[in-house]
Amino acid sequence: MNKEMNKKTAAVAVPVIPMAVMLVIGCWGLDRGGIWRDEAATFQVARRTVPQIWRLLHQVDAVHGLYYLLMRPVLAVHPGEVLLRLPSVLAAVATAGLVAALGARLTRPRVGLWAGLLYAINPMVGHYAQEGRSYAMVAAGAAGATLLLVRAVGGRSWMPYGVVVTVTCLLHEFAVLLLLAHAVTLALSRVPRRVWAGWLCAAVTVALALLPLVLLSHAQSAQVAWLRPPGQDGVHQLVRQFAGPTDEVLAPCLILVYVGLRRPWPERPGRGLPLPAVALPLLVVPPAILMTVSQWSPLYDARYVLYALAGAPLLAAAGADRIARAVPRLPRATVTAAGVLAVALVCAHQLPLLRQDRSMAQRGGDNLAVASALASRELRPGDPVLFLPAIGRRSALAYPKGFRGTRDVALAESARTSGTLYGVETDPATLRRQLAGLDHVWLVAEPYALRPSWRPADPTERAKLAVVGEQFEPRREFRGSGVTLRLYERRPVTAPRQGRAPKGRGAVLICGSAAWARPATTARQPTDAPQHFVAQAQAQAQRLRVKRRRVQSDSELVETSPQCPDLVHVEAGRREDPRRHPNRPLAQREALLGHPDLHRPLVPGAALAPDETGRLQPFEQR
């Protein structure tokens, strides 16, 4: 009776303890006051309607479609950063319990307890447990599928196994490599044909269900064009992420893994599969295949094989159990407690890494909340905003409050209505026309977009760089985490009159080929000038005549007559220039400027009207 109670207690305690530890680590620092770019995609897509999500998946992010649909009811409760990440925390908690249950089923309860605890304190696990993406869910599905594989080999139905693997692969298609890992497990264990038959039926079902997603995502392969073939550094980094980020943890872990893999592999009657035959393929096969394929077609990233990490703590715990059994006359409770203490020491050693991982600096290097805070502080309603590149619009989509009331100059169709992640932008010609009517523009730029070496392939992005660089000049700049907010003002353009350039800056600047033109009666023309040239000059001067206009701000663009698309730039003066201070009398400022015959400085509130030459003058002073 006592033995049965001890078994029941162990069956409950073995998964629950690692799950509790994982829950504490996962909830620690969950609200970091911001989200990074990948989480922003989840945050804005999962809040769309189902038809909008369905339309999006036909263009981009098909591989994350099921995850977006699962996150939609979660964010419908309260769209916030905590709920965005909470499903990943719960998935990691479930994975820790499943790893523990798997170790206990394949060997003994203390191995499961040690393996589950080692999984829970792994920094890579903690990192993706706090990320609003699908990787923690995929890891939970892979651990559950592996446990169901062990049960199916023992005589249970293959249907639950097939269903869990299918759902896991639909969460991320690279989880299909789990099937190959399980095939190696069956080969190493030398299972009978009936087991192979059941597994093949399940595998074919998974492949058929996954085929449409594979075809659709293959057409969207440009999304992973940023990936590069992994080299030796990538292998070393993955080993450290799986086994231990520091030498003090890595070396003992590798030794324990080696001990756990040494033959003969221990077997327990009725369990079917030895632990090394399950854990080793799970640990090695998915990363090895993905890295090999990526030498020709880069697809590898460490997060895509997070689910393979579960093999490392299982093998390390099995090695520790072998060493403990080699020491005679040690009470089981003492051995179990010693193993738990060793895991606690490892956790204490890795505590600085776990604390560091709670900062936004470790999450892709950008914090979109910072961009929104900068915009909220500096931008005013009606301010024109230009995102460079278009992907920078994710900060406004994730945190729209900071950009409320501003005008997105380049946006032609919103992200929701266009079925895209960041919206559809205008063509270069339209963008140039829209920017031509602005005297200032705020640029929200990614850090790399401001480097001289950046050469965008998109023509609209090239037009942004060209127009801003040629027609505007930077005035103010604010830098945040992964974003630069910069104010550009239109460059003052003064054209020389009768071949000589004015020494001072004019208050009235006429942009266009007809700048500073006068009627033929007053312009200095050669006596033998052709008649058509005189007529052209007269027509040009007529186009410059504008209606009376009042200056509303220090810098304003005034349209000329409807027949002429040229613009008149009225500048009331720069406050740092004493000659243009608006509090000075008009005549005094004219004298300081030294060119009253070319222009008249204006002040806000002044009125304009054309004089007999077609040039704008202050109406009150005429």
Side-chain angles (χ1 to χ4, degrees), residues 15-45:
V16 167
I17 294 175
M19 290 172 71
V21 173
M22 185 72 254
L23 182 63
V24 171
I25 294 177
C27 291
W28 172 29
L30 189 61
D31 187 2
R32 291 182 291 274
I35 58 179
W36 75 294
R37 54 179 177 267
D38 279 13
E39 289 180 315
T42 301
F43 192 67
Q44 57 121 338
V45 173

Coordinates of all heavy atoms in Angstrom, one line a residue, residues 15-45:
P15 N 6.4 15.5 -12.7 CA 6.1 16.6 -13.7 C 5.8 18.0 -13.1 O 6.1 19.0 -13.6 CB 4.9 16.1 -14.6 CG 4.2 15.1 -13.7 CD 5.3 14.6 -12.7
V16 N 5.1 17.9 -11.9 CA 4.6 19.2 -11.3 C 5.8 20.1 -10.9 O 5.7 21.3 -11.1 CB 3.7 18.9 -10.1 CG1 3.4 20.1 -9.3 CG2 2.4 18.3 -10.7
I17 N 6.8 19.5 -10.3 CA 7.9 20.4 -9.8 C 8.6 21.1 -10.9 O 8.8 22.3 -10.8 CB 8.9 19.5 -9.0 CG1 8.2 19.0 -7.7 CG2 10.1 20.3 -8.6 CD1 9.1 18.0 -6.9
P18 N 9.0 20.4 -12.0 CA 9.6 21.2 -13.1 C 8.6 22.2 -13.7 O 9.0 23.3 -14.1 CB 9.9 20.1 -14.1 CG 10.1 18.9 -13.4 CD 9.1 19.0 -12.3
M19 N 7.3 21.9 -13.7 CA 6.3 22.8 -14.3 C 6.3 24.1 -13.4 O 6.2 25.2 -13.9 CB 5.0 22.1 -14.4 CG 4.9 21.1 -15.5 SD 3.3 20.1 -15.4 CE 2.2 21.4 -16.0
A20 N 6.3 23.9 -12.1 CA 6.3 25.1 -11.2 C 7.5 25.9 -11.4 O 7.4 27.2 -11.4 CB 6.1 24.6 -9.7
V21 N 8.7 25.3 -11.5 CA 9.9 26.1 -11.7 C 9.8 26.8 -13.0 O 10.2 28.0 -13.1 CB 11.1 25.2 -11.7 CG1 12.4 25.9 -12.1 CG2 11.3 24.5 -10.3
M22 N 9.3 26.2 -14.1 CA 9.2 26.8 -15.4 C 8.2 28.0 -15.3 O 8.4 29.0 -16.0 CB 8.8 25.8 -16.4 CG 8.7 26.3 -17.9 SD 10.4 26.6 -18.6 CE 10.5 28.3 -18.6
L23 N 7.2 27.8 -14.6 CA 6.2 28.9 -14.5 C 6.8 30.1 -13.8 O 6.5 31.3 -14.3 CB 5.0 28.4 -13.7 CG 3.8 29.4 -13.5 CD1 3.2 29.7 -14.9 CD2 2.7 28.8 -12.6
V24 N 7.6 29.9 -12.8 CA 8.2 31.0 -12.1 C 9.2 31.8 -13.0 O 9.2 33.0 -13.1 CB 8.9 30.6 -10.8 CG1 9.7 31.7 -10.2 CG2 7.9 30.0 -9.8
I25 N 10.0 31.0 -13.7 CA 11.0 31.6 -14.6 C 10.3 32.3 -15.8 O 10.7 33.4 -16.2 CB 12.0 30.5 -15.1 CG1 12.8 30.0 -13.9 CG2 12.9 31.1 -16.2 CD1 13.8 28.9 -14.3
G26 N 9.2 31.7 -16.3 CA 8.5 32.2 -17.4 C 7.8 33.5 -17.1 O 7.7 34.4 -17.9
C27 N 7.3 33.6 -15.9 CA 6.5 34.8 -15.5 C 7.4 35.9 -15.0 O 7.0 37.1 -14.8 CB 5.5 34.5 -14.4 SG 4.1 33.5 -15.0
W28 N 8.7 35.6 -14.7 CA 9.6 36.6 -14.2 C 10.0 37.6 -15.3 O 10.6 37.3 -16.3 CB 10.9 35.9 -13.7 CG 12.0 36.8 -13.3 CD1 11.9 38.0 -12.8 CD2 13.4 36.5 -13.4 NE1 13.2 38.5 -12.6 CE2 14.1 37.6 -12.9 CE3 14.1 35.3 -13.8 CZ2 15.5 37.6 -12.9 CZ3 15.5 35.4 -13.7 CH2 16.2 36.5 -13.3
G29 N 9.6 38.9 -15.1 CA 10.0 39.9 -16.1 C 9.2 39.8 -17.4 O 9.7 40.2 -18.4
L30 N 8.0 39.2 -17.3 CA 7.2 39.0 -18.5 C 6.8 40.3 -19.2 O 6.8 40.4 -20.4 CB 6.0 38.2 -18.2 CG 5.2 37.6 -19.4 CD1 6.0 36.7 -20.3 CD2 3.9 36.9 -18.9
D31 N 6.5 41.3 -18.4 CA 6.1 42.6 -18.9 C 7.4 43.5 -19.0 O 7.8 44.1 -18.0 CB 5.1 43.3 -18.1 CG 4.5 44.6 -18.7 OD1 5.0 44.9 -19.8 OD2 3.7 45.2 -18.1
R32 N 8.0 43.7 -20.2 CA 9.2 44.4 -20.3 C 9.0 45.8 -20.8 O 9.9 46.6 -21.1 CB 10.2 43.7 -21.3 CG 10.7 42.4 -20.7 CD 11.7 41.8 -21.7 NE 11.0 41.3 -22.8 CZ 10.4 40.1 -23.0 NH1 10.5 39.3 -21.9 NH2 9.9 39.7 -24.1
G33 N 7.7 46.2 -21.0 CA 7.4 47.6 -21.4 C 7.6 47.8 -22.9 O 7.8 48.9 -23.3
G34 N 7.6 46.7 -23.7 CA 7.7 46.9 -25.1 C 7.8 45.5 -25.8 O 7.9 44.5 -25.1
I35 N 7.6 45.5 -27.1 CA 7.7 44.3 -27.9 C 8.6 44.5 -29.0 O 8.9 45.7 -29.4 CB 6.3 43.9 -28.5 CG1 5.7 45.0 -29.3 CG2 5.4 43.5 -27.3 CD1 4.4 44.6 -29.9
W36 N 9.2 43.5 -29.6 CA 10.1 43.6 -30.7 C 9.4 43.2 -32.0 O 8.3 42.9 -32.0 CB 11.4 42.8 -30.4 CG 11.4 41.4 -30.6 CD1 10.7 40.5 -29.8 CD2 12.1 40.6 -31.6 NE1 10.9 39.2 -30.3 CE2 11.7 39.2 -31.3 CE3 12.9 40.9 -32.6 CZ2 12.2 38.2 -32.1 CZ3 13.4 39.8 -33.4 CH2 13.1 38.5 -33.1
R37 N 10.2 43.3 -33.1 CA 9.5 43.3 -34.4 C 8.7 42.0 -34.7 O 7.7 42.1 -35.2 CB 10.6 43.5 -35.5 CG 11.8 42.6 -35.5 CD 12.7 42.8 -36.6 NE 13.9 42.0 -36.6 CZ 15.0 42.3 -36.0 NH1 15.1 43.5 -35.4 NH2 16.0 41.5 -36.0
D38 N 9.3 40.8 -34.3 CA 8.5 39.6 -34.6 C 7.3 39.5 -33.7 O 6.2 39.1 -34.2 CB 9.4 38.4 -34.3 CG 10.4 38.1 -35.5 OD1 10.5 39.0 -36.3 OD2 11.0 37.0 -35.5
E39 N 7.3 39.9 -32.5 CA 6.1 40.0 -31.7 C 5.1 41.0 -32.2 O 3.9 40.8 -32.1 CB 6.5 40.3 -30.2 CG 7.3 39.2 -29.5 CD 7.6 39.6 -28.1 OE1 8.1 40.8 -27.9 OE2 7.4 38.8 -27.2
A40 N 5.6 42.0 -32.8 CA 4.7 43.0 -33.3 C 3.9 42.4 -34.4 O 2.7 42.8 -34.6 CB 5.5 44.2 -33.8
A41 N 4.4 41.5 -35.2 CA 3.7 40.9 -36.3 C 2.5 40.1 -35.7 O 1.4 40.1 -36.2 CB 4.6 40.0 -37.1
T42 N 2.8 39.3 -34.6 CA 1.8 38.6 -33.9 C 0.7 39.5 -33.4 O -0.5 39.3 -33.5 CB 2.4 37.7 -32.8 OG1 3.3 36.8 -33.3 CG2 1.3 36.9 -32.1
F43 N 1.2 40.6 -32.8 CA 0.3 41.5 -32.1 C -0.7 42.2 -33.0 O -1.9 42.3 -32.7 CB 1.1 42.6 -31.3 CG 0.3 43.4 -30.3 CD1 -0.2 42.8 -29.2 CD2 0.1 44.7 -30.6 CE1 -0.9 43.6 -28.3 CE2 -0.6 45.5 -29.7 CZ -1.1 44.9 -28.5
Q44 N -0.3 42.6 -34.2 CA -1.2 43.3 -35.1 C -2.0 42.3 -35.9 O -3.1 42.6 -36.2 CB -0.4 44.3 -35.9 CG 0.7 43.7 -36.7 CD 0.5 44.0 -38.2 OE1 -0.6 44.2 -38.7 NE2 1.6 44.0 -39.0
V45 N -1.4 41.2 -36.3 CA -2.2 40.3 -37.2 C -3.2 39.5 -36.4 O -4.4 39.3 -36.9 CB -1.2 39.2 -37.8 CG1 -2.0 38.2 -38.6 CG2 -0.3 40.0 -38.8

